[in-house]
Amino acid sequence: MDGQVVEAGLDVVIGMGALVARLDRTVLAPWRAAIGDAAGIEGAPRGTVPHSVLLYGAPGSGVRFAASTLAAALDRLDRGSVIVAADRLDASPREFSALVEGAPRDVVLILASHEPWRLPLDAAGRRGRGSIGWVSAHGAAIATAFVHPPDRPARLFRAWELLAALGESTDWLDDIVDATRGWTGDDLRDALCGPLPWGDRDGVLAAIRAYRPSCVDWLTTARRWSATLPAGSLDDLQDYLRRYHAA
């Protein structure tokens, strides 16, 4: 994580390297450039920065946390704009459209959803692999970021946190983390806090490997949905699905 990301406040996120890098590249970096331009430093004009950002992912992956963290990071960057974290994960298509189309230009909307395929958006693949992922039904540009299931560093911290709270040994921590690839934080909590034979290492790992993570169905739906999108759109989701399927 480079110094600019830390200064922007995303250092509070443990792991989630792909998400942090995307948010810095597609949202925070354009805003840093725009602020530099306003201060007389060469940078990007404010018209090129995203004023609506949609974060989406499976339930339990930290979508709401990512939205609030990004909002705080943007607020630290530019106190001249109003940052609104509209984390209505259950917002209807009509409510979503009203939020995006009705926001004043000095408001930056941070939106969150567990079901992006329900939203009234047009995949903007024709724009290429850039900061803008979608446009709304009325043409408003929306930057997007996929909140992927916790990567290994994030799972390592979450599993350690849960085991410590349970008073269980962390001797098997690496084995547990290796066996839970693609799991959400909620999956880790539900499995590790469930009835496990903690005195039997092989029994614990067998029970974990037999657990069906909740995000399987979400990823299956996301894969079907992404197959209908133009090539090059939502590249972070597409990349994750390819890697998840190949593992």
Side-chain angles (χ1 to χ4, degrees):
M1 192 179 299
D2 63 40
Q4 288 182 317
V5 177
V6 171
E7 290 175 5
L10 291 182
D11 55 317
V12 300
V13 180
I14 296 174
M16 305 298 284
L19 172 64
V20 169
R22 184 178 182 88
L23 292 178
D24 185 61
R25 183 181 74 253
T26 65
V27 181
L28 297 178
W31 272 101
R32 283 195 298 268
I35 292 167
D37 184 64
I41 304 170
E42 183 178 356
R46 281 183 176 263
T48 67
V49 300
H51 281 261
S52 294
V53 184
L54 173 66
L55 294 98
Y56 64 96
S61 291
V63 175
R64 179 175 276 119
F65 172 75
S68 62
T69 301
L70 178 61
L74 280 169
D75 186 59
R76 290 176 62 180
L77 272 179
D78 182 13
R79 297 189 178 276
S81 297
V82 179
I83 315 298
V84 177
D87 57 355
R88 284 286 310 281
L89 296 171
D90 60 345
S92 69
R94 178 172 295 185
E95 289 172 322
F96 185 88
S97 291
L99 280 170
V100 173
E101 309 305 335
R105 285 296 295 169
D106 62 343
V107 168
V108 181
L109 279 177
I110 311 298
L111 306 156
S113 176
H114 288 323
E115 297 181 305
W117 41 82
R118 294 180 58 247
L119 302 178
L121 300 165
D122 173 35
R126 60 189 176 277
R127 296 172 182 265
R129 297 168 66 95
S131 63
I132 303 302
W134 286 341
V135 294
S136 72
H138 297 282
I142 302 174
T144 65
F146 171 48
V147 183
H148 53 81
D151 55 15
R152 196 177 197 286
R155 293 198 311 281
L156 189 69
F157 175 77
R158 182 60 173 148
W160 171 84
E161 186 179 49
L162 288 166
L163 291 176
L166 291 168
E168 299 294 346
S169 171
T170 58
D171 291 347
W172 311 335
L173 189 57
D174 283 334
D175 292 328
I176 290 172
V177 171
D178 289 341
T180 55
R181 183 181 179 277
W183 288 30
T184 68
D186 285 0
D187 289 327
L188 280 167
R189 179 201 62 210
D190 293 345
L192 295 183
C193 294
L196 292 175
W198 285 110
D200 176 5
R201 175 183 178 278
D202 291 339
V204 168
L205 293 178
I208 288 174
R209 293 185 180 113
Y211 181 88
R212 188 177 190 273
S214 62
C215 63
V216 169
D217 291 338
W218 191 95
L219 290 171
T220 298
T221 301
R223 182 176 289 109
R224 291 171 180 162
W225 171 61
S226 66
T228 69
L229 302 177
S233 61
L234 305 185
D235 50 293
D236 52 346
L237 172 63
Q238 301 274 12
D239 289 345
Y240 182 87
L241 291 172
R242 279 192 293 270
R243 290 186 283 108
Y244 181 82
H245 183 71

